[in-house]
Amino acid sequence: MAEGSIFKRCGCRDPHTDKPYGTHCPQLRRPNRSWNPQHGHWAYQLELPPTLDGQRRLLRRSGIDTRQQAVAERDHARALLALAGRDRRRQIEIGDVVQNAVRHRLPFPDVDRVRQRLRGDGPLGDMPTVGEYLTTWLEHLTADINTIHGYESIVRNHLIPHLGDVPLDKLRTSHLRAMFVAMEHRNAEIRSLKASPDPAVRRTVARVRPTGPVTRHHIRAVLRKAINDALADELIVGSNPAMLVKTPADRALPIVWEDERVERWRATGEVPGPVMVWTAEQVATFLDYVADHDQVIHPMLHLMAYRGLRRGETVGLRDTEVRLAKRELTINNQIAIMGHRTIQKPPKSRAGNRDIALDADTVRALTAYRALRATWRLVAGEAWPDTGLFFVRPDGQPWHPNAFSARFRLLARKAGMPPVRLHDLRHSAATIALDAGIDIKVVSEQLGHSTTTLTRDTYQSVTKQMHQDAADAVAAKIASRAHVRG
């Protein structure tokens, strides 16, 4: 059996031909011809048994961090190939297994397990479990970093615990249905424990939330994409079971804090739903309170409440994209949270990159803020950081989105307002605009929605004027018929 070779290669290109150097880059070796530890990555090459029709094939793998890892993986492949002895059929089959593992970036099967299967004359190839495949899939996924972070959370917290031990090619719709049923049972258990009169029992689920319909929809979507990739890579064949299972994707619709609901809340602490929005009068009351008590954060909340920006878009608004003389600004940046740190990135969709028209009140609020920010900068002098952001803290540093939310919650509580989330200021802006008769397409573009369908499905149920007009029209029609009969 061929021993195979261990070497280094890199991604550098010849500046004259623009062709990749591969293994011939002059930086790969030091003057004494030893390998340069600071450049390139390790690789190995091993000749596999020819195919059934006699075609030669080579096993190549690159992108390995250390020489030791490359040697270990090459030797693992050689140990597997040695198991076939002189059996031509088994040589080819083990060669296929090894080649398939490298092609799909999967670990080689265990040598002892393959030896055992050889004794039973069964199939040699190891199909990865769902958990093994998803782990490898995430490592090589190319996507927005926050998207990957979300995928990792869903894989770690939901898919692997429920489906991780199932062989990938054996995954069926019944497994997915059982997963969602188990989630519903767990949700019922969590709600029961949270409602317990025993504080010790309630503490056991103090930081635990039920898996809601939107999360279940995301779980299905991540699994669907992962299996589609496995099908595209020909790792498995057949249909995608995640395409055949439906999950509820109902969003919690906004509920307006009407006077009767506020009165009930003040008496009992009862909040009618997970997404609550303030009326125009309540928004005005809150902003007046903030203007008197917190001039630092007032313009940010004003902008969100009037124009419906997202939290990350507000704290990530660039200074160069605010054109007060033209009464407009452009959203093309946001601050997002990734783990324990923040990153700046463009909006996720094309619709999220948008121009926002400003009303006169908002222009005055932002103009006053710009003047206030100038005094902060004057006091800080050379210590003032150049963040390029419009909204900053008094020391010039960016706002962390969570700190912004915490400041909002504190102010809302001190103002005695019925509870809403910071994001619900965006819902209030949309609801107020639709109630004012603004065309839904204009509102959708203002919010950065990709289609008006999302806007309509989310907000139409809380807009009242068109429903009131319909009620009046029906009443008028009935009254007119009664007058004719009379």
Side-chain angles (χ1 to χ4, degrees):
M1 182 198 305
E3 182 178 343
S5 57
I6 304 292
F7 54 93
K8 295 191 82 172
R9 60 184 300 124
C10 66
C12 298
R13 291 179 175 272
D14 188 317
H16 303 294
T17 64
D18 198 39
K19 292 182 178 179
Y21 277 125
T23 60
H24 302 293
C25 178
Q27 298 184 65
L28 285 175
R29 291 187 181 270
R30 293 184 290 197
N32 64 359
R33 301 304 296 162
S34 63
W35 293 110
N36 179 1
Q38 307 300 323
H39 191 74
H41 49 258
W42 288 97
Y44 67 85
Q45 177 175 294
L46 181 66
E47 186 162 4
L48 295 177
T51 62
L52 193 60
D53 57 3
Q55 290 187 3
R56 186 187 179 198
R57 52 181 174 168
L58 292 174
L59 182 73
R60 291 191 183 95
R61 169 84 191 279
S62 59
I64 303 174
D65 293 335
T66 67
R67 187 179 191 280
Q68 290 79 4
Q69 290 174 321
V71 169
E73 189 170 318
R74 180 205 61 183
D75 290 349
H76 192 161
R78 294 183 73 243
L80 289 170
L81 293 169
L83 295 175
R86 296 179 179 276
D87 188 327
R88 172 75 173 144
R89 178 176 64 88
R90 286 308 202 180
Q91 288 177 355
I92 295 173
E93 190 172 356
I94 294 178
D96 291 342
V97 168
V98 171
Q99 191 172 52
N100 185 68
V102 169
R103 180 180 298 157
H104 297 292
R105 302 182 295 272
L106 297 172
F108 290 143
D110 181 73
V111 174
D112 290 336
R113 187 182 303 178
V114 173
R115 182 182 290 112
Q116 185 176 12
R117 291 185 180 184
L118 281 170
R119 295 194 188 105
D121 202 36
L124 303 183
D126 256 1
M127 177 59 62
T129 64
V130 171
E132 291 169 342
Y133 170 70
L134 289 175
T135 301
T136 304
W137 175 72
L138 283 172
E139 291 174 355
H140 298 89
L141 188 64
T142 301
D144 172 84
I145 193 165
N146 248 34
T147 299
I148 293 177
H149 185 70
Y151 283 8
E152 288 174 341
S153 176
I154 286 174
V155 167
R156 181 178 65 254
N157 295 319
H158 301 287
L159 292 174
I160 288 181
H162 288 280
L163 306 174
D165 293 334
V166 180
L168 184 62
D169 62 336
K170 303 298 183 185
L171 186 65
R172 300 290 184 265
T173 55
S174 58
H175 295 111
L176 274 66
R177 293 192 183 98
M179 173 179 67
F180 290 124
V181 168
M183 288 179 182
E184 281 301 320
H185 290 163
R186 176 57 177 161
N187 286 349
E189 180 185 15
I190 292 170
R191 295 187 186 102
S192 175
L193 294 174
K194 285 182 177 290
S196 171
D198 187 343
V201 173
R202 293 198 302 271
R203 281 196 295 272
T204 63
V205 289
R207 298 179 179 273
V208 181
R209 294 188 301 174
T211 304
V214 174
T215 301
R216 294 198 297 274
H217 179 72
H218 289 160
I219 292 168
R220 172 181 172 267
V222 171
L223 183 62
R224 183 180 65 226
K225 173 171 175 49
I227 297 179
N228 277 341
D229 288 349
L231 290 166
D233 288 342
E234 298 181 348
L235 181 59
I236 55 174
V237 295
S239 61
N240 187 335
M243 299 285 288
L244 306 175
V245 175
K246 301 300 180 185
T247 56
D250 297 333
R251 293 175 178 268
L253 296 178
I255 300 174
V256 177
W257 273 115
E258 302 288 2
D259 292 342
E260 294 81 1
R261 291 169 180 151
V262 174
E263 185 177 347
R264 174 74 176 171
W265 166 71
R266 294 194 189 284
T268 67
E270 179 182 314
V271 178
V275 180
M276 302 299 299
V277 297
W278 287 332
T279 63
E281 293 77 12
Q282 290 163 344
V283 169
T285 298
F286 174 68
L287 290 179
D288 286 345
Y289 176 87
V290 177
D292 292 338
H293 292 82
D294 196 333
Q295 293 183 344
V296 173
I297 205 171
H298 171 262
M300 302 166 70
L301 296 172
H302 178 108
L303 181 60
M304 284 189 69
Y306 272 57
R307 305 309 296 146
L309 272 66
R310 299 176 176 91
R311 178 182 71 169
E313 295 169 346
T314 303
V315 296
L317 180 62
R318 288 188 172 124
D319 201 23
T320 55
E321 301 304 326
V322 180
R323 298 173 292 280
L324 297 180
K326 295 183 177 180
R327 292 176 49 176
E328 66 180 16
L329 57 83
T330 298
I331 302 298
N332 56 15
N333 186 55
Q334 62 178 323
I335 294 180
I337 301 172
M338 191 191 70
H340 299 290
R341 63 188 182 92
T342 59
I343 59 170
Q344 293 192 44
K345 64 172 190 172
K348 192 170 183 178
S349 67
R350 176 180 294 183
N353 290 272
R354 63 200 188 277
D355 292 331
I356 301 288
L358 303 177
D359 59 281
D361 284 347
T362 302
V363 169
R364 281 192 290 271
L366 298 185
T367 301
Y369 168 77
R370 184 173 272 172
L372 177 63
R373 191 186 64 184
T375 64
W376 297 340
R377 182 168 187 170
L378 188 62
V379 170
E382 293 183 357
W384 184 263
D386 183 14
T387 65
L389 299 173
F390 184 78
F391 291 120
V392 292
R393 303 176 75 99
D395 61 358
Q397 294 295 333
W399 277 93
H400 191 290
N402 286 345
F404 183 27
S405 293
R407 188 87 155 250
F408 163 77
R409 288 193 298 270
L410 177 63
L411 288 166
R413 187 166 62 251
K414 287 184 175 181
M417 304 299 298
V420 300
R421 305 167 303 170
L422 175 59
H423 187 74
D424 295 331
L425 284 185
R426 172 175 164 84
H427 293 322
S428 292
T431 302
I432 293 167
L434 290 170
D435 273 337
I438 306 301
D439 184 89
I440 194 167
K441 187 175 189 303
V442 174
V443 176
S444 181
E445 291 175 352
Q446 168 191 319
L447 297 173
H449 287 168
S450 55
T451 67
T452 58
T453 302
L454 175 58
T455 315
R456 182 178 294 106
D457 291 348
T458 305
Y459 300 110
Q460 201 80 339
S461 63
V462 294
T463 60
K464 297 184 177 180
Q465 190 57 54
M466 61 186 69
H467 297 289
Q468 191 66 60
D469 292 344
D472 291 342
V474 171
K477 185 70 173 179
I478 294 173
S480 67
R481 301 303 298 172
H483 178 72
V484 170
R485 287 197 304 272

